[in-house]
Amino acid sequence: MRSSPLINTFGAGLLLLPTAWSATIAIEARSPLTNTTLPHLDGFPHPNPTKSYWQDPPHRIANHRSTPDLPTDQVFDYVIIGSGMSGAATAFKLLSRDPSLSVLMLEARTAASGASGRNGGHCKTGDYGKKIKQWVDLYGEDEALKIANLEQDCVNDVRDFVHSHNVSNGWQNVETADIYYTQEAFEKAAEIVEFQHELAKRRPDDVPQNNPRTVLRGQEARDYWQWPEILGAVKYAGHTQNPYLTVCAMLELGLEKGLNLQTHTMALQLTQVSEPSAEDTTQWEVKTDRGTVRGTKVVLATNGFTPALHPGLAATHFLEPGRNQAAAVRPAADTTDNPVFQRSNGYSDFPGGSGDYIIARQPGDVGAGDVVYGGGQGLSPTRERNLTDDSVINEAIATYLHGVGRVTYGHANWGATNERVVADWTGIVCYTPDGLPVVGAVPGEAGLWASVCMNGHGMAWAFRSAEALVEMMMSDGEAPGWFPEPFRAGRAWKGGR
């Protein structure tokens, strides 16, 4: 059997501690199933994360174990590590294609307890409007358009999944916009929209369909959006949802098809078996805190926790975990009939830092009238990078998130008295230097696959990436023609672009 000495070390976080490995014990964390004290290993999922707004109340499968004991005596066709959108979609798509497959899913905490159950509730194609020109410059038009279409197709696929399976997740079709507060940032955005329009004229059948961008300038933007301070906006179609319920519905469909889900089972070590015999197809052993399981293929759907589990990927320094934060607040004013609260928005140049976003829960939703605001990393000296502890709240960011809605919406829309804070929560995401996911075969480790590092944009990357991953795993690594070359996992070892 072959294993790296680094993999045998129960320390982690190579990105955090490049010259030493250590473990930190959190003695207050206890397993809800065994009531035993659990260790917190740096870089691995914290056993006692903040309670996400979306996970209240917990889903009926939150603590699900398909079998009471960990199935250590079986060799599974696939062992999937992680139960977020990437893992859930991979299992669902595998079993939809071939119900005879044996698929085991390991989840360190409760089901969908990672970034997929902790985001801000958007499902939209934000990167196309900001990065298409950059993609063309880096990868050429053909690959850039593959990326753009994957993003739009992924959002469409999630929408279709929700509708075709009657998922009760508060799905709303909304008008969304990228909002700008500085002239320089807005003019750059307007130039990119012009670039999109020119590209659409030359290649009308190759650009993303049915979601054009519209630029609103100056007073026109302020009058339309009724936000007093903005200089411009780029609007398009988007969606809001409870992402936790979406992923849990996907997991339930997988369970109906035979998925074995084991929550509160932390993967700690991967070991590749050198030469599987004719009688035993094992290629990988996965050591967990409950025993060791075996599989022919292993799928890493571990996002920001990937470097802790796979030191080879950590050593590339290509995957950078980070902590994102969000808050749900209730404005002082009644938002029910106010059209400005029937949209979702993102900001590229607001004081909290790029990547701020906001949605309002719509009439009929659980929590209707709540406003969810995420971002604020710019207020942290480290921008919350190289952090994997989602058990804590950054108080400076929380204070910002609680009050910034009054500034963005304006006092007239928000109300004259203080808002009510409903919830604060954090989640661990993963970033790459090029802003794209890492998907495909792990080089030099036969049978090990990955769909990780969604760059905080998982609802627009993960579902379609899982489709490509399944096709690759079931066809000796051959990717579908629509899958972008810049997403391939191998680039992590080459430094990317």
Side-chain angles (χ1 to χ4, degrees), residues 448-488:
L448 184 61
W449 302 80
S451 185
V452 298
C453 224
M454 296 293 147
N455 288 270
H457 199 42
M459 288 298 158
W461 292 141
F463 198 71
R464 288 292 278 178
S465 291
E467 177 70 24
L469 185 71
V470 167
E471 289 202 26
M472 285 187 269
M473 291 191 299
M474 300 183 83
S475 63
D476 296 323
E478 185 175 349
W482 51 262
F483 188 67
E485 184 70 29
F487 276 41
R488 306 300 175 92

Side-chain angles (χ1 to χ4, degrees), residues 242-428:
N242 180 327
Y244 174 63
L245 296 181
T246 303
V247 175
C248 284
M250 208 170 293
L251 290 171
E252 283 195 300
L253 288 168
L255 290 170
E256 291 176 6
K257 297 176 183 294
L259 171 67
N260 186 318
L261 170 61
Q262 296 288 325
T263 62
H264 303 284
T265 306
M266 186 179 296
L268 297 169
Q269 173 185 326
L270 304 174
T271 302
Q272 187 175 14
V273 178
S274 56
E275 294 183 4
S277 67
E279 295 79 22
D280 186 354
T281 61
T282 302
Q283 288 198 78
W284 287 91
E285 292 182 348
V286 182
K287 184 174 182 178
T288 80
D289 55 354
R290 296 175 57 216
T292 298
V293 296
R294 297 179 295 160
T296 302
K297 295 177 182 177
V298 170
V299 177
L300 299 176
T302 41
N303 211 32
F305 303 112
T306 306
L309 184 60
H310 193 281
L313 269 167
T316 68
H317 296 277
F318 195 76
L319 310 186
E320 183 181 36
R323 184 171 61 206
N324 281 4
Q325 188 163 321
V329 298
R330 180 62 65 95
D334 182 3
T335 65
T336 305
D337 297 320
N338 189 335
V340 304
F341 289 98
Q342 296 172 11
R343 299 162 177 153
S344 70
N345 304 285
Y347 318 101
S348 294
D349 58 346
F350 206 61
S354 62
D356 280 19
Y357 52 85
I358 191 167
I359 69 166
R361 306 300 306 282
Q362 300 301 304
D365 287 349
V366 175
D370 292 347
V371 172
V372 176
Y373 201 110
Q377 281 86 352
L379 300 176
S380 168
T382 65
R383 295 176 60 238
E384 301 294 271
R385 297 297 179 93
N386 287 329
L387 298 176
T388 56
D389 183 355
D390 54 3
S391 70
V392 296
I393 298 293
N394 183 312
E395 293 299 335
I397 293 176
T399 299
Y400 164 76
L401 297 177
H402 298 165
V404 71
R406 182 183 303 279
V407 179
T408 54
Y409 281 103
H411 289 69
N413 291 315
W414 195 256
T417 57
N418 289 337
E419 59 283 322
R420 177 171 64 88
V421 179
V422 179
D424 291 293
W425 68 99
T426 51
I428 304 305

Side-chain angles (χ1 to χ4, degrees), residues 14-66:
L14 185 60
L15 295 180
L16 295 171
L17 303 169
T19 60
W21 293 67
S22 67
T24 301
I25 303 299
I27 60 174
E28 298 300 323
R30 305 185 74 82
S31 165
L33 295 182
T34 64
N35 198 35
T36 57
T37 301
L38 297 174
H40 174 216
L41 305 175
D42 285 344
F44 287 84
H46 196 287
N48 189 30
T50 55
K51 179 185 287 187
S52 167
Y53 172 80
W54 307 111
Q55 295 173 321
D56 187 12
H59 196 274
R60 54 185 166 267
I61 65 166
N63 299 303
H64 183 85
R65 285 180 178 173
S66 299

Side-chain angles (χ1 to χ4, degrees), residues 66-338:
S66 299
T67 53
D69 297 322
L70 191 67
T72 57
D73 58 350
Q74 179 179 352
V75 179
F76 286 85
D77 295 317
Y78 293 88
V79 177
I80 299 172
I81 306 174
S83 68
M85 175 63 89
S86 292
T90 299
F92 171 70
K93 290 171 181 289
L94 280 169
L95 290 165
S96 295
R97 288 183 178 221
D98 186 354
S100 70
L101 291 172
S102 57
V103 182
L104 174 67
M105 180 177 287
L106 306 175
E107 169 53 55
R109 307 186 295 198
T110 61
S113 59
S116 296
R118 297 176 171 276
N119 64 39
H122 276 123
C123 187
K124 65 176 189 176
T125 58
D127 278 12
Y128 173 57
K130 300 171 186 174
K131 299 181 179 180
I132 180 60
K133 191 175 187 303
Q134 173 187 331
W135 294 338
V136 169
D137 291 342
L138 286 172
Y139 312 120
E141 276 190 9
D142 289 346
E143 291 297 326
L145 288 171
K146 285 184 182 181
I147 298 171
N149 278 294
L150 185 147
E151 185 187 39
Q152 185 64 63
D153 291 344
C154 187
V155 170
N156 293 346
D157 284 356
V158 175
R159 175 201 63 200
D160 294 345
F161 172 85
V162 168
H163 291 160
S164 63
H165 295 284
N166 297 314
V167 178
S168 297
N169 68 342
W171 184 272
Q172 298 279 355
N173 300 325
V174 296
E175 190 174 50
T176 189
D178 300 321
I179 302 293
Y180 296 91
Y181 288 83
T182 63
Q183 196 66 38
E184 180 181 3
F186 172 63
E187 292 301 335
K188 181 179 178 181
E191 288 176 6
I192 294 175
V193 173
E194 286 300 314
F195 182 83
Q196 290 175 320
H197 291 168
E198 187 274 333
L199 194 58
K201 289 179 182 178
R202 289 192 294 104
R203 304 187 64 169
D205 297 329
D206 299 326
V207 296
Q209 304 296 308
N210 303 317
N211 195 2
R213 267 58 175 174
T214 301
V215 176
L216 301 177
R217 295 178 177 273
Q219 194 61 45
E220 178 189 19
R222 292 187 285 274
D223 290 344
Y224 183 84
W225 231 254
Q226 296 183 41
W227 287 23
E229 301 296 333
I230 63 175
L231 296 180
V234 177
K235 68 183 183 76
Y236 51 102
H239 317 279
T240 62
Q241 61 170 334
N242 180 327
Y244 174 63
L245 296 181
T246 303
V247 175
C248 284
M250 208 170 293
L251 290 171
E252 283 195 300
L253 288 168
L255 290 170
E256 291 176 6
K257 297 176 183 294
L259 171 67
N260 186 318
L261 170 61
Q262 296 288 325
T263 62
H264 303 284
T265 306
M266 186 179 296
L268 297 169
Q269 173 185 326
L270 304 174
T271 302
Q272 187 175 14
V273 178
S274 56
E275 294 183 4
S277 67
E279 295 79 22
D280 186 354
T281 61
T282 302
Q283 288 198 78
W284 287 91
E285 292 182 348
V286 182
K287 184 174 182 178
T288 80
D289 55 354
R290 296 175 57 216
T292 298
V293 296
R294 297 179 295 160
T296 302
K297 295 177 182 177
V298 170
V299 177
L300 299 176
T302 41
N303 211 32
F305 303 112
T306 306
L309 184 60
H310 193 281
L313 269 167
T316 68
H317 296 277
F318 195 76
L319 310 186
E320 183 181 36
R323 184 171 61 206
N324 281 4
Q325 188 163 321
V329 298
R330 180 62 65 95
D334 182 3
T335 65
T336 305
D337 297 320
N338 189 335

